Amino acid sequence: MDFTAMPYETCSTWNFRELRFALTVIFTIEEINKDPTLLPGTTLGYRLYNGCGSENLIRAAIEALNGKREHCSGQIIGLLGHSSSGVSQYINYILSPLSVPHLSHLSTCACLSNKKIYPTFFRTVPSDFFQVTGLLQLMKYFDWRWVGIIYSPELYAYEGTENFIKLSKQYGICVEYYQEYSKTSKPTLVVEALKTSSSKVVILFMGFSYTYSFFSVFEGYNITDKQFIGSESWISQTKLASRERRSMLQGAMGFAIPDVKVPGLREYLLRLNPLKEPQSEIVKTVWGHIFGCAFTPSNTSTMCTGSEDLLTTPNQYTAFTDLRTESNVYNAVYSFAHALHSLLQCKNRLNPTTGNACVSKTEVRPKDVLEHLHYVNFTTNNDARVFFDENGDPASHYDLVNWQIHRNDSAEIVTIGLYRTSSLEGENLQILDSKITWGGGNNKVVRSVCREPCPLGTRKAINKNRPVCCFDCFECPEGTISNQTDSPNCLTCPPEFWPNESKDKCLSKPTEYLSYKEIMGTLLTIFSCIGVFLSLLVLIIFFTHKETPIVKANNSELSFLLLLSLKLCFLCSLTFIGRPSEWSCKLRHTAFGITFVLCLSCVLGKTMLVVLAFRATLPSNNMMKKFGPLQQRLSVVIFTSVQVVICILWLSTNPPFPKENMKYYKEKIILECDVGSAVGFWAVLGYIGCLALLCFILAFLARKLPDTFNEAKLITFSMLIFCAVWITFIPAYVSSPGKFTVAVEIFAILASSFGLLICIFAPKCYIILFKPEKNSKKQMRVKLKSRS
């Protein structure tokens, strides 16, 4: 619009809402003029302009600028209006250069808060910026993170939609689509967006007339599965509630201007009557429009009498359930009155509010009133507190309302919560969930998300090609968990913990060790006990037959000591079973090392005795005399003492200790005995190996001696088994995992012990028990003679 010509537009319909605004101005001014404490000695006047047609709006602005005042002897102190943000924007362009205060009751565009562009603009309705933040908090409250927006081609709707989209990212909310709806163009794109979109929540950012048109057009498209969220311009307007639209409006929700009751205003508005204002052509025209009559003779209408009853005839003028916006008009008029009152309260030639020089009633200028509007702070007769911030905006208060259609098709707009920006953080939005009726045919809160939150045990990954709300969910890697929904990262469990199956909790890792209760541990224990039993049985047999030649011929003293040491070898294997502890770790390896050396010392003593006994039959050889019973005992003690010294050094420097092995298995802990000093461990095994090798060599050399000394063959075979077992043990021990390492070691102990027991003593027991005739001196001489 270039303002080079005075446009004209003929009014085709009446906006009864705007008529109520005009009557509210008159009601408020009359109330102020009756108040002896506010503006004493001063009377407020007014001029009302028809909002139909741009020329009337521009005319009001121009009159404020040039001072033209028809039928008015007072000063113009400011301008009240308009309802539309776009119209208020243009009016303020005209008023600002001359500092004329401009106060609106319904222009909500956040852009009007910019004091650099609109320095004289004030309003008694909250800025849409606060409505947008309220809507975003509402989305977050119900977890609506995937929404669509339909807006009208108005400054109010453009700015509101833009601010919503701009701030939505801060709240984690995504806009699936934003589509403009126009009264003149085909709604194809809007229909497609509503029917194909996955978002269930639709925000209608529109002025009232566009919303009325929207529901009228779409009532035939059977769109009933959406939860509509309305802006304050239409959400509390019951005029929308036709029978056809009610299925779409059911459950609609949005923020409305607080329903503040103005005492006497409802009654005043319902007293509208042309008989009380016979000079008003507007009232007569409205009356005729409501009742379909005329005050002048007409062929198409009946004559109006003025006695018609507004309350008994359904009409759009009285079709209001509340006077939310009218209360803002009421506050706006009072704001001008209090600013003027503050300006005229002068003492000692200086104004107490601003400190400027006093002015008289005839000297009042619009810019003086503008200056005092910044300091307005009062409470109205209905207990509403009115003040303006640095941007000319009031305190931001909203009621959260909900459309509820009852069975008798009556529509009720129920207040279900409130939004107050002045409240503490986190308490701005208060909602009574139990009072809500939901849209889309739902009996519970609507779900509107692009992707359901990532469950526990998964992590959230942003997809760069899609909106942030349309993320991907990936299962946490092995060894990690996520214990909250939409977790951006997976947490690594501490070393001694491992995730459960759902990967939402770290559990203590199960411990593994060779237990007596499991099958393998039980079997090894049984075999160990069998070995002890057999050793004891052989000992008993040998002891009961100790005077027989076969026992005497094979050195009964070393045999008894060998059987005792074998029994200890079987018993020491039991120390390897069970939960490792500090004492068991030290005991198992040292006991194993010492008992086996004791065992091999006895075998070595018997082998040496065989070799020396054969050598003693040769001429001039007295070795047997030098290797008597005392020397045999000393050899056993010396050989065993070496191992004892090695074990003492090992235990005193770096002994074995219990250890939790978490490296071999990720999901469990192996309880094992760390050998401590590897040198000590392999020294013990190495010494055992040296003795075993020495025994094998000596026994092998003496294997072909006469049958009387036949034990050399048995020792050779037993040492062959012993060496084979322990040579195989080394790689098996190194490569076996967890408790199997211990099982391999026990198996080696038992196998080598059984080898010695069976190979050395089984043939002798067989002769003693089943072939006693061979166990005699005579039989042994015969065998010796045949050999010789």
Side-chain angles (χ1 to χ4, degrees), residues 15 278 305 371 375 639:
N15 188 326
T305 63
E371 185 177 16
Y375 302 102
F639 287 134

Side-chain angles (χ1 to χ4, degrees), residues 17 20 208 233-241 325 403 413:
R17 188 187 189 198
R20 291 198 298 271
F208 173 77
S233 61
W234 67 267
I235 194 62
S236 61
Q237 300 301 310
T238 54
K239 183 181 177 181
L240 293 169
T325 309
W403 279 70
I413 299 176

